[in-house]
């Protein structure tokens, strides 16, 4: 066998760690049974941390016959996704033990879903992209329905499975049309094939179907319909995982395919992305106003925020990609902080509540938690000088520089509309009379809230490192 034909494995070191580690955890769980739950949970956290370290030391390269790439963009997005997965897993342990559905399989499924996400982020052709997407999706379908005794959780898993299968079919159909029009599956080869002539009707349809599949994964309008029901039905820490890490991977996949494979048909795909961004921002701003359930509200908030992130992608420039990356990093911090508070809404009898009205008077019962949650909500609304303001500034700035003035203006106006429902929660926290009493926060939730809240509050003091890292990572795509 020719040694030179063997693919370089070093760039895929983080994925290898997660894959081998997941197999080892399956063996541990199979031998020890449910007694291994806490051990498997701890080892899963260690695996995610080890993968994070490996991402920083693995060399940049294209390997596996051009199907896998590790560059600055992949490195940045993988670290953000791993942080999201680590924090969501940390929030899960106490929650699941208290509700008596803790199983060792859960942590393994999170590791496998994270492995799929990292493959999606590094995919450099349509086949590798689909393999990573399916590995992530199959694990997520089971995770959403992990609480088998809860009808809402089972319903969430079923809805996500049915609609996820539909979106995968659309993405596959789009990929087949692109292949049929260009004769290539590699992103660089597709871009090269499109340089030589006009884009055919089949190719345009292929791009539209691809974007439709991506829009489902980032829960953008009009493929958002699964999000509120799945967010509400799935256990709260799993909702946090869906809202943070999975969004990063899906958006990274979206950005890489569009920027690397279709730079010569920017005019065609920009129209679709602008529509999706506008519709997502509008729905996220208006549909959340009437919500009474915190998790459903966070679902519509997530739809809106993905719309703002897509504003940066619509610009189609390195500046726009940088804006998307900074937006996602800040969004993950804000979302995890908010869910750390929702997970902590545990009553004295051990049950959990999710209603917005139950936050009434939180400032008197838990002043520190109330303050951090209020700051996170202000940040989600985009109020300066909190991190969320800078996130929106970068994407709107890129849109303006790309000449997309109507999109930037619409985003600004809808951001003001969306601020209403965030400020309403702050009003309930500080001015309404207390209705329920909560138990103290768990150590994991307190750690996540401290880090996420500190980042959100203090980002403006020293934004340079994140901005510089995102700028360098964005340039690697061009």
């Amino acid at each position: 066998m020719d040694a030179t034909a063997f693919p370089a494995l070093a760039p895929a070191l983080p994925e290898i760690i997660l894959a081998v580690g997941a197999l080892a955890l399956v063996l541990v769980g199979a031998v020890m049974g449910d007694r291994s739950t806490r051990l498997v949970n701890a080892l899963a956290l260690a695996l995610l941390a080890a993968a994070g370290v490996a991402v920083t030391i693995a060399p940049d390269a294209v390997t596996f016959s051009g199907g896998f790439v590790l560059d600055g963009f992949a490195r940045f997005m993988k670290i953000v996704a791993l942080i999201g997965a680590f924090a969501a897993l940390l929030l899960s342990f106490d929650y699941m033990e208290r509700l008596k559905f803790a199983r060792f399989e859960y942590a393994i499924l999170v590791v496998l879903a994270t492995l799929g996400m990292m493959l999606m982020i590094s995919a450099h052709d349509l086949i590798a992209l689909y393999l990573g997407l399916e590995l992530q999706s199959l694990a997520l379908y089971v995770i959403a329905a992990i609480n088998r005794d809860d009808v809402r959780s089972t319903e969430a898993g079923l809805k996500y499975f049915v609609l996820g299968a539909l979106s995968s079919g659309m993405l596959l159909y789009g990929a087949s049309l692109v292949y049929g029009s260009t004769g290539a599956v590699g992103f660089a080869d597709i871009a090269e094939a499109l340089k030589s002539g006009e884009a055919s009707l089949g190719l345009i349809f292929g791009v539209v179907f691809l974007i439709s599949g991506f829009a489902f994964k980032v829960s953008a309008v009009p493929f958002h319909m699964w999000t509120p029901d799945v967010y509400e039905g799935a256990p709260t820490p799993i909702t946090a995982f869906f809202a943070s890490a999975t969004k990063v991977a899906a958006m990274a996949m979206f950005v890489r395919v569009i920027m690397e494979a279709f730079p010569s048909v920017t005019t065609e795909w920009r129209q679709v992305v602008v529509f999706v961004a506008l519709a997502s921002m509008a729905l996220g701003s208006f549909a959340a106003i009437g919500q009474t359930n915190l998790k459903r509200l966070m679902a519509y908030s997530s739809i809106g925020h993905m719309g703002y992130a897509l504003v940066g992608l619509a610009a189609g420039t390195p500046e726009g990609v940088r804006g998307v990356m900074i937006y996602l990093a800040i969004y993950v911090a804000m979302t995890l902080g908010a869910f750390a508070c929702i997970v902590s809404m545990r009553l004295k009898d051990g049950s959990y509540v999710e209603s917005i009205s139950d936050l009434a008077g939180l400032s008197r019962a838990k002043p520190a938690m109330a303050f951090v949650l209020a700051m996170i909500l202000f940040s989600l609304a985009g109020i300066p000088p909190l991190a969320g303001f800078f996130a929106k500034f970068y994407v709107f700035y890129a849109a303006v520089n790309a000449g997309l003035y109507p999109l930037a203006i619409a985003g600004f106006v809808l951001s003001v509309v969306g601020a209403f429902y965030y400020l309403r929660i702050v009003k309930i926290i500080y001015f309404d009379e207390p209705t329920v009493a909560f138990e103290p926060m768990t150590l994991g939730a307190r750690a996540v809230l401290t880090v996420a809240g500190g980042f959100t509050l203090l980002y403006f003091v020293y934004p340079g490192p994140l901005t510089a890292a995102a700028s360098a990572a964005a340039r690697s795509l061009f």
Side-chain angles (χ1 to χ4, degrees), residues 265-353:
V265 290
T266 299
T267 305
E268 287 80 359
W269 62 252
R270 178 179 280 162
Q271 298 174 45
V272 183
V273 173
V274 166
F275 166 76
V276 170
L278 273 173
S280 300
M281 290 188 293
L283 184 91
S285 295
F286 288 103
I289 292 175
Q291 300 303 316
T292 58
N293 182 283
L294 263 174
K295 288 162 70 175
R296 286 188 78 87
L297 183 140
M298 290 301 295
Y300 285 109
S301 170
S302 169
I303 293 167
H305 282 287
M306 290 303 103
Y308 293 116
L310 287 172
V311 171
L313 176 58
T317 61
E319 212 170 43
V321 174
R322 180 193 68 173
V324 173
M325 297 169 76
I326 294 174
Y327 199 102
L328 289 174
I330 293 173
Y331 165 78
V332 165
M334 297 186 297
T335 300
L336 289 172
F339 275 101
C341 295
I342 298 172
V343 167
S344 301
M345 292 175 63
R346 187 175 67 252
L347 302 179
K348 296 296 183 182
D349 63 0
S351 62
Y352 288 81
V353 292

Side-chain angles (χ1 to χ4, degrees), residues 82-393:
L82 284 167
I83 290 172
F86 187 94
L89 199 54
L90 199 59
L91 291 174
S92 305
F93 301 151
D94 182 76
Y95 182 94
M96 290 186 166
E97 284 188 6
R98 286 178 178 273
L99 293 185
K100 296 181 171 51
F101 66 95
R103 299 184 182 90
F104 74 87
E105 295 94 341
Y106 169 69
I108 299 172
L109 287 167
V110 170
V111 171
L112 289 172
T114 307
L115 171 61
M117 290 178 215
M118 296 178 74
L119 290 173
M120 287 162 58
I121 293 170
S122 280
H124 206 229
D125 65 30
L126 294 172
I127 296 172
L129 182 148
Y130 184 72
L131 290 175
L133 180 67
E134 284 304 294
L135 176 58
Q136 179 223 37
S137 298
L138 291 172
L140 291 182
Y141 298 150
V142 182
I143 289 173
I146 194 76
N147 187 3
R148 293 174 296 190
D149 298 326
D150 183 8
V151 174
R152 293 195 311 165
S153 178
T154 305
E155 181 185 344
L158 185 60
K159 284 181 178 178
Y160 189 46
F161 169 70
V162 172
L163 294 172
L166 174 64
S167 77
S168 294
M170 295 172 69
L171 194 146
L172 265 182
Y173 184 58
S176 67
L177 286 174
V178 171
Y179 174 70
S181 301
T182 62
V185 293
F187 300 157
D189 297 332
I190 293 171
E192 188 64 32
L194 293 177
K195 281 182 181 178
S196 55
E198 289 289 320
S200 65
L201 185 61
L203 177 86
I204 301 302
F205 271 103
V207 173
V208 171
F209 273 102
L210 278 177
I211 292 176
S212 300
F214 299 151
F216 176 90
K217 296 303 176 184
V218 300
S219 64
V221 176
F223 305 98
H224 65 283
M225 66 288 290
W226 62 274
T227 314
D229 292 336
V230 173
Y231 274 39
E232 182 183 8
T236 304
I238 295 169
T239 304
F241 184 54
F242 276 55
S244 55
T246 62
K247 291 289 191 293
V248 173
M251 189 62 78
M253 171 181 69
F254 200 158
V255 171
R256 184 182 291 281
V257 174
I258 291 295
M259 301 311 301
E260 289 194 343
F262 305 109
S264 57
V265 290
T266 299
T267 305
E268 287 80 359
W269 62 252
R270 178 179 280 162
Q271 298 174 45
V272 183
V273 173
V274 166
F275 166 76
V276 170
L278 273 173
S280 300
M281 290 188 293
L283 184 91
S285 295
F286 288 103
I289 292 175
Q291 300 303 316
T292 58
N293 182 283
L294 263 174
K295 288 162 70 175
R296 286 188 78 87
L297 183 140
M298 290 301 295
Y300 285 109
S301 170
S302 169
I303 293 167
H305 282 287
M306 290 303 103
Y308 293 116
L310 287 172
V311 171
L313 176 58
T317 61
E319 212 170 43
V321 174
R322 180 193 68 173
V324 173
M325 297 169 76
I326 294 174
Y327 199 102
L328 289 174
I330 293 173
Y331 165 78
V332 165
M334 297 186 297
T335 300
L336 289 172
F339 275 101
C341 295
I342 298 172
V343 167
S344 301
M345 292 175 63
R346 187 175 67 252
L347 302 179
K348 296 296 183 182
D349 63 0
S351 62
Y352 288 81
V353 292
E354 300 165 4
S355 174
I356 294 172
S357 60
D358 289 322
L359 290 172
L362 184 66
S363 59
R364 275 162 275 181
K366 295 185 175 182
M369 175 179 161
F371 172 76
V372 177
L373 177 57
M375 291 302 103
I376 288 172
L377 291 169
F378 280 132
S379 183
L380 284 165
I383 294 174
L386 301 169
F389 166 78
F390 292 95
K392 290 181 179 175
F393 170 79

